[in-house]
């Protein structure tokens, strides 16, 4: 009762812990700017978003230009450049530049409010795993009491035998049938399993979730921060037309010297040397295309594929992902620099291990664009990918995957962001990245990986299966031993001393076997 009460309170507290909910809105009035609660801002009002502010309400930009971090809401790793006429959602974070937004929807209809609602209602759809021992005790206890009562009363009435002899046998049967071995060893087995998971840096929030892990048939991953590090880095430099890799990187780093975009920062980090700013002049950023600059007297174009097409510069490597930077120098194609969200080193091993454990379906859900998501899925040999999803669309995707599960099988979802909280709660088993993951995701999850290592997911499944196997061994052993001693007691072969041994001895052996759940540690 207290455990379920605590879990219920934990679920209800998620709404309070979600950092996604904005604290205030700056409403532009005729006399200046007034700070108010977002719930009181009406549709059609104009609000101001300063650098570093979280967008409090859904709306359309009427003044200003900036880049916004959408990862908390969509999971998209690349900041989005926005300007007048673009729509923005509540929960986006303004990285740079002042924006003024015309409110299109009141707070109760905003993206943030919908996510909060999803989190609260997802818990209602998730049926709790029934505890075996509760079901068993409800059937076993009245049966053995009835057997003992019948053994004490019926034989004397039918045969005329001494009532005291059969009462003694009935008491022996009661002592033998006492379910200590099960009552003690089963919870201890689960505690041991939870302790074993903790030794492997995995926090399991209850024995029911440890049990649910044994029935997982489909595993679904978020991309950014789960399968990938969530940090941009240069992963490939491909020079063309006689340029060397080092020279291509130097030219691009200088051209991007003044940019605040994360891709530009990744290029400068990869270059790793001092940027000689006096060599860079006439820098012009062109929204949606890239940057044009003079570097050491040469005109450098750096941006997407369409920039080179617009400038009619012959080039190869067409159609690369959005995070690929094309570079041209004085009208000559110089090559590409691929900047991407690095895949975690252990991700491929985790996918392989899950397949080895018999997981039949592995999928990925992400807010990232199709090309980036498809490339990540290809490199990790993931079965299917669903991309460019908002939080409510992720929930719908999870529900569709659940509807396709074989009978009695479950779905596990692993994610890390605030936007993953509704999905973590809707999944049969929600697994959160605990090191870098948001508080909301950790609170919503059933299992938390304390060091963000995605290869802990198959370990969690192994621990659950090992625990279930040991507990089943105890159930079979205890029930077989009980049946044997009860039969011996009923026919008068077993006395009270054997009954005590049959009860306490079996319990001790079952407890010792249960401690084996603590001993599994995967290297």
């Amino acid at each position: 009762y207290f455990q379920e009460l605590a879990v219920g309170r934990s679920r209800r507290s998620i709404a309070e812990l979600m950092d996604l909910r904005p604290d205030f809105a700056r409403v532009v009035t005729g006399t200046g700017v007034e700070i108010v609660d977002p719930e009181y801002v009406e549709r059609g009002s104009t609000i101001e978003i300063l650098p570093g502010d979280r967008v409090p309400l859904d709306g359309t930009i009427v003044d200003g230009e900036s880049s916004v971090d959408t990862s908390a809401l969509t999971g998209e790793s690349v900041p989005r450049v926005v300007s007048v006429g673009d729509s923005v959602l509540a929960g986006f974070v303004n990285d740079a530049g002042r924006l003024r937004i015309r409110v299109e929807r009141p707070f109760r209809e905003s993206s943030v409010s919908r996510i909060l609602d999803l989190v609260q209602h997802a818990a209602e759809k998730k049926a709790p795993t029934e505890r075996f021992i509760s079901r068993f005790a409800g059937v076993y206890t009245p049966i053995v009491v009835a057997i003992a009562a019948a053994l004490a009363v019926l034989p004397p009435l039918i045969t005329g035998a001494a009532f005291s002899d059969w009462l003694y046998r009935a008491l022996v049967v009661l002592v033998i049938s006492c379910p200590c071995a099960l009552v003690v060893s089963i919870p201890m087995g689960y505690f041991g399993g939870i302790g074993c998971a903790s030794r492997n840096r995995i926090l399991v929030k209850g024995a029911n979730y440890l049990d649910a892990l044994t029935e997982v048939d489909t595993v679904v991953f978020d991309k950014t921060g789960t399968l990938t590090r969530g940090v941009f880095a240069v992963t490939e430099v491909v020079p063309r037309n006689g340029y060397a890799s080092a020279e291509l990187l130097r030219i691009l780093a200088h051209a991007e010297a003044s940019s605040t975009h994360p891709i530009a920062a990744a290029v400068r980090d990869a270059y790793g040397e001092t940027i000689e700013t006096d060599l860079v002049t006439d820098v012009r950023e062109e929204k949606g295309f890239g940057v044009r600059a003079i570097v050491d007297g040469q005109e450098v174009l750096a941006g997407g594929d369409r920039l080179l097409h617009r400038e009619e510069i012959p080039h190869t490597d067409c159609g690369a992902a959005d995070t690929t930077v094309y570079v041209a120098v004085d009208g000559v194609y110089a090559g590409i620099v691929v900047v991407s969200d690095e895949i975690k080193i252990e991700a491929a091993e985790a996918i392989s291990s899950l397949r080895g454990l018999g997981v039949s379906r592995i999928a990925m859900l992400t807010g990232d664009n199709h090309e980036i998501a498809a490339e990540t899925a290809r490199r990790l040999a993931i079965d299917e990918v669903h991309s460019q999803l908002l939080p409510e669309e992720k929930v719908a995707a999870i529900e569709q995957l659940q509807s396709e599960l074989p009978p009695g099988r479950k779905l596990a979802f692993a994610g890390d962001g605030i936007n993953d909280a509704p999905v973590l709660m809707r999944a049969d088993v929600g697994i959160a990245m605990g090191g870098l993951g948001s508080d909301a995701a950790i609170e919503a999850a059933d299992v938390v990986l304390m060091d963000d290592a995605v290869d802990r997911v198959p370990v969690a499944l192994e621990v659950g299966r090992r625990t279930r196997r040991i507990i089943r061994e105890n159930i079979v052993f205890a029930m077989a031993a009980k049946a044997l001693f009860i039969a011996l007691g009923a026919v008068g072969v077993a006395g009270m001393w054997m009954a005590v041994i049959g009860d306490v001895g079996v319990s001790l052996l079952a407890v010792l076997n249960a401690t084996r759940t603590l001993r599994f540690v995967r290297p």
Side-chain angles (χ1 to χ4, degrees):
Y1 168 76
F2 284 113
Q3 181 187 27
E4 290 175 355
L5 185 66
V7 170
R9 287 180 176 174
S10 176
R11 299 288 190 189
R12 289 192 296 272
S13 70
I14 291 170
E16 301 171 5
L17 293 170
M18 288 186 76
D19 295 333
L20 190 59
R21 191 187 192 287
D23 297 322
F24 61 87
R26 306 179 195 270
V27 180
V28 179
T29 64
T31 58
V33 176
E34 182 181 355
I35 297 178
V36 301
D37 190 305
E39 293 185 7
Y40 299 116
V41 179
E42 298 179 354
R43 181 186 285 109
S45 300
T46 300
I47 58 175
E48 184 176 74
I49 315 296
L50 299 180
D53 281 356
R54 190 179 296 276
V55 177
L57 298 145
D58 296 355
T60 304
I61 298 174
V62 295
D63 182 45
E65 180 177 330
S66 181
S67 63
V68 291
D69 180 357
T70 69
S71 60
L73 195 64
T74 68
E76 187 173 358
S77 52
V78 182
R80 186 182 303 174
V81 177
V82 294
S83 60
V84 175
D86 290 336
S87 296
V88 291
L89 300 178
F92 288 1
V93 177
N94 184 19
D95 285 342
R98 189 198 68 169
L99 296 174
R100 288 199 170 182
I101 297 172
R102 181 179 64 251
V103 176
E104 302 292 349
R105 285 191 290 266
F107 180 78
R108 64 181 176 275
E109 299 174 14
S110 69
S111 301
V112 170
S113 183
R114 292 200 304 271
I115 289 178
L116 291 170
D117 185 66
L118 283 169
V119 171
Q120 291 165 342
H121 287 86
E124 297 173 8
K125 296 180 182 178
K126 187 173 182 178
T129 304
E130 292 186 69
R131 293 176 179 82
F132 169 81
I133 197 158
S134 298
R135 299 200 306 268
F136 178 79
V139 176
Y140 176 82
T141 303
I143 288 176
V144 296
V145 170
I147 290 173
L151 193 63
V153 175
L154 293 181
L157 291 178
I158 296 172
T159 66
F163 178 76
S164 59
D165 290 342
W166 288 99
L167 177 61
Y168 179 81
R169 294 185 186 187
L171 293 175
V172 168
V173 167
L174 275 180
V175 171
I176 293 172
S177 62
C178 180
C180 289
L182 297 175
V183 172
V184 175
S185 70
I186 290 177
M188 184 170 180
Y190 280 118
F191 278 124
I194 292 171
C196 175
S198 299
R199 292 175 64 190
N200 285 278
R201 311 270 313 150
I202 302 166
L203 171 63
V204 181
K205 293 187 177 180
N208 52 338
Y209 303 122
L210 194 65
D211 214 37
L213 285 168
T214 67
E215 300 167 356
V216 169
D217 176 77
T218 298
V219 177
V220 183
F221 291 96
D222 174 47
K223 184 182 81 70
T224 306
T226 304
L227 293 173
T228 66
R229 294 176 56 203
V231 178
F232 281 109
V234 172
T235 55
E236 191 175 7
V237 178
V238 183
R240 302 294 187 198
N241 295 322
Y243 282 88
S245 297
E247 177 63 10
L248 177 61
L249 198 58
R250 186 191 74 84
I251 291 171
L252 180 57
H254 280 75
E256 300 275 18
S258 59
S259 175
T260 59
H261 197 282
I263 289 179
V267 169
R268 293 194 297 270
D269 289 342
Y271 177 54
E273 298 182 26
T274 304
I275 302 291
E276 301 174 68
T277 54
D278 56 322
L279 298 179
V280 186
T281 58
D282 195 20
V283 179
R284 285 178 289 166
E285 290 198 32
E286 301 182 29
K287 183 188 175 186
F289 286 93
V291 64
R292 183 191 301 266
I294 303 299
V295 178
D296 200 13
Q298 298 175 302
E299 184 185 50
V300 177
L301 294 176
D305 186 27
R306 62 178 182 161
L307 173 63
L308 270 62
H309 281 292
R310 189 192 70 178
E311 299 296 323
E312 297 182 349
I313 297 174
H315 63 285
T316 55
D317 313 304
C318 293
D322 289 353
T323 52
T324 298
V325 183
Y326 290 77
V327 183
V329 181
D330 285 339
V332 177
Y333 179 49
I336 60 173
V337 174
V338 181
V339 180
S340 60
D341 185 4
E342 290 184 285
I343 293 176
K344 290 181 177 178
I345 295 172
E346 72 275 10
E349 181 187 348
I351 301 297
S352 176
S353 297
L354 287 171
R355 295 194 191 283
L357 289 169
V359 173
S360 64
R361 193 177 189 183
I362 299 176
M364 182 174 73
L365 304 184
T366 180
D368 255 346
N369 68 48
H370 295 302
E371 291 79 8
I372 295 175
E375 176 61 17
T376 301
R378 183 192 66 79
R379 292 170 63 183
L380 293 175
I382 291 174
D383 300 326
E384 60 187 273
V385 59
H386 305 263
S387 55
Q388 295 183 234
L389 301 177
L390 290 173
E392 57 264 39
E393 293 170 332
K394 284 187 176 183
V395 172
I398 285 292
E399 290 176 342
Q400 178 60 36
L401 290 170
Q402 285 176 316
S403 70
E404 299 167 3
L405 287 169
R409 305 298 285 169
K410 297 187 182 298
L411 177 146
F413 174 81
D416 74 315
I418 295 171
N419 61 300
D420 293 327
V423 194
L424 286 164
M425 295 192 69
R426 185 64 189 94
D428 298 308
V429 183
I431 304 173
M433 303 290 120
L436 297 176
S438 71
D439 289 343
I442 292 170
E443 287 297 320
D446 309 312
V447 178
V448 181
L449 310 182
M450 299 309 296
D451 55 5
D452 276 352
V454 72
D455 59 350
R456 301 288 181 188
V457 175
V459 177
L461 267 62
E462 287 185 71
V463 171
R465 292 182 182 186
R466 178 182 169 83
T467 302
R468 166 76 72 87
R469 185 169 63 251
I470 291 172
I471 285 172
R472 282 181 172 174
E473 290 172 359
N474 276 348
I475 292 172
V476 171
F477 168 67
M479 293 304 297
K482 294 290 182 185
L484 174 63
F485 280 104
I486 287 174
L488 293 175
V491 298
V493 174
M496 190 62 72
W497 63 269
M498 192 177 289
V500 173
I501 292 176
D503 176 39
V504 179
V506 170
S507 297
L508 286 175
L509 290 174
V511 166
L512 289 173
N513 190 47
T515 61
R516 291 172 51 224
T517 57
L518 285 165
R519 298 173 190 167
F520 173 75
V521 178
R522 187 181 181 189

